[in-house]
Amino acid sequence: ATGKRTLTMVTSWPRGFAVLDDAASYLEKFTSEMSDGNLTIDKKAPGELVGALEVFDAVSSGQADMYHSADYYYIGQHPAYAYFTAVPFGGTAHEVIDWYEHGGGQQLHDELGEIFNLKGLLSGNSGSQSGGWFRNEINSAADFNGLKFRMPGLGGKVLGKLGASVQNIPGGELFQALNDGTIDATEWVGPYNDLAFGLHKAAKYCYYPGWHEPGSVLECMVNKQAFDELPEDLQAIVEAACRVTSQNMVAEFTARNDRALQTLRNEHGADIRPLPVEVLEAIKGVADTVASEVGQTNAMAGRIFESYSTYRDGVDQW
């Protein structure tokens, strides 16, 4: 009755980008199907409207209607956004979603979004990630000193405290940067995506666990004015499509990572090993300090950190 609508969505993922661009495409597909074509999404890859890490500002300003990305890329806009993607040694996929939907996370995300004219929605989760690919062995925490490491968000801040030179490089540029020595190590996602990127060809060692991202969330952030202008049924459809996308993505990653891990080990002879316990203990000590320090940067960040950590500590007992 109100006519058909189209929202322009900019993403941080090149077209065909394994699972991540798939998640954005699921969101596009589900929204159209559930609305019977009354709400469609015009998905734009990096470079088609704005760059991969420019999507936040584009949606905030109204240049685009929504983005699909990871909020921890945008801690420069506000440090509290790190908590909505991944906290080192923090919540798993289920724990983060529980906090978001039942522990006040959604309300805090929206309140933070008000500053930037954004409506917050979770729209994807990779589950637990790998620790990363390294050109050289890691035997002690001292080996991070001077290491050129691609790692965004709070995890990057942790490694910075250990002396690493932390980089934030879009996913599409990682193989080349690692292969030519621009960086010494990188985390990405897990076996499936890492295999697709060929990271095993650029670095010899793959370490686990992914202490920095135990349950990494992706977001669909919508320009608040654009969201508010939608009738309530279409708003509900966008919210539901985001939830289904999250469910699909974590299930797909789990299945594909299992198969890809066997391929990396058995067909490519990848050297996949655990980080030494003493290294993890050293990282954990710094990580707790970093997460707390970010929460002290301003009142909003403090409230989000307190909500996240209190809920996580309670859920951890169960």
Side-chain angles (χ1 to χ4, degrees):
T2 56
K4 295 186 176 182
R5 300 162 188 258
T6 298
L7 298 176
T8 299
M9 178 170 70
V10 288
T11 80
S12 294
W13 329 119
R15 291 192 182 275
F17 215 44
V19 185
L20 301 175
D21 183 55
D22 292 343
S25 295
Y26 290 148
L27 179 58
E28 178 184 24
K29 173 177 179 286
F30 296 149
T31 300
S32 177
E33 289 179 348
M34 286 192 284
S35 68
D36 196 24
N38 286 312
L39 179 62
T40 57
I41 293 174
D42 180 16
K43 182 166 71 75
K44 304 286 188 184
E48 294 179 12
L49 186 60
V50 297
L53 301 182
E54 297 171 351
V55 300
F56 183 101
D57 291 339
V59 175
S60 177
S61 67
Q63 183 182 2
D65 298 310
M66 60 201 304
Y67 73 67
H68 196 265
S69 187
D71 272 1
Y72 69 172
Y73 292 153
Y74 312 112
I75 58 176
Q77 282 82 348
H78 199 291
Y81 274 115
Y83 298 121
F84 291 99
T85 296
V87 174
F89 300 94
T92 63
H94 288 299
E95 290 167 345
V96 172
I97 292 171
D98 292 347
W99 166 66
Y100 198 81
E101 297 194 356
H102 299 284
Q106 172 76 76
Q107 292 79 8
L108 288 166
H109 204 196
D110 283 340
E111 187 177 340
L112 179 59
E114 288 275 357
I115 302 171
F116 302 97
N117 191 34
L118 296 172
K119 163 64 179 173
L121 296 166
L122 305 188
S123 187
N125 196 303
S126 69
S128 299
Q129 298 203 359
S130 296
W133 291 86
F134 296 73
R135 292 161 63 91
N136 297 298
E137 291 183 86
I138 297 294
N139 296 307
S140 72
D143 290 334
F144 287 105
N145 190 36
L147 198 73
K148 294 175 290 185
F149 202 134
R150 184 272 183 190
M151 182 179 284
L154 295 178
K157 289 184 177 294
V158 171
L159 293 186
K161 292 270 191 183
L162 292 174
S165 173
V166 180
Q167 318 287 322
N168 190 10
I169 300 173
E173 302 172 18
L174 289 186
F175 174 83
Q176 190 60 46
L178 188 60
N179 195 53
D180 64 19
T182 300
I183 53 177
D184 302 310
T186 185
E187 63 82 41
W188 181 227
V189 182
Y192 179 71
N193 289 84
D194 297 356
L195 175 63
F197 272 25
L199 296 181
H200 59 286
K201 301 175 184 177
K204 182 176 180 180
Y205 306 100
C206 178
Y207 283 95
Y208 66 89
W211 56 269
H212 58 299
E213 299 191 29
S216 309
V217 182
L218 299 183
E219 284 76 23
C220 170
M221 300 293 275
V222 187
N223 178 277
K224 191 172 186 306
Q225 182 179 353
F227 187 81
D228 289 345
E229 288 175 353
L230 293 175
E232 290 186 1
D233 62 328
L234 295 185
Q235 289 180 359
I237 282 172
V238 172
E239 292 171 343
C242 285
R243 285 192 177 95
V244 176
T245 296
S246 292
Q247 177 182 326
N248 274 22
M249 184 176 169
V250 73
E252 185 173 8
F253 259 127
T254 301
R256 293 191 178 195
N257 279 333
D258 172 55
R259 293 191 291 269
L261 178 62
Q262 306 312 315
T263 300
L264 284 168
R265 278 178 166 158
N266 301 330
E267 297 182 23
H268 298 289
D271 192 340
I272 300 171
R273 55 176 71 177
L275 282 166
V277 172
E278 57 271 24
V279 172
L280 278 174
E281 289 175 342
I283 294 172
K284 177 69 162 62
V286 176
D288 290 344
T289 300
V290 166
S292 174
E293 285 178 348
V294 170
Q296 296 167 18
T297 54
N298 58 56
M300 186 76 230
R303 288 172 54 215
I304 293 172
F305 172 70
E306 178 65 23
S307 172
Y308 181 100
S309 57
T310 299
Y311 192 84
R312 171 66 168 80
D313 291 345
V315 166
D316 195 43
Q317 296 178 49
W318 165 243

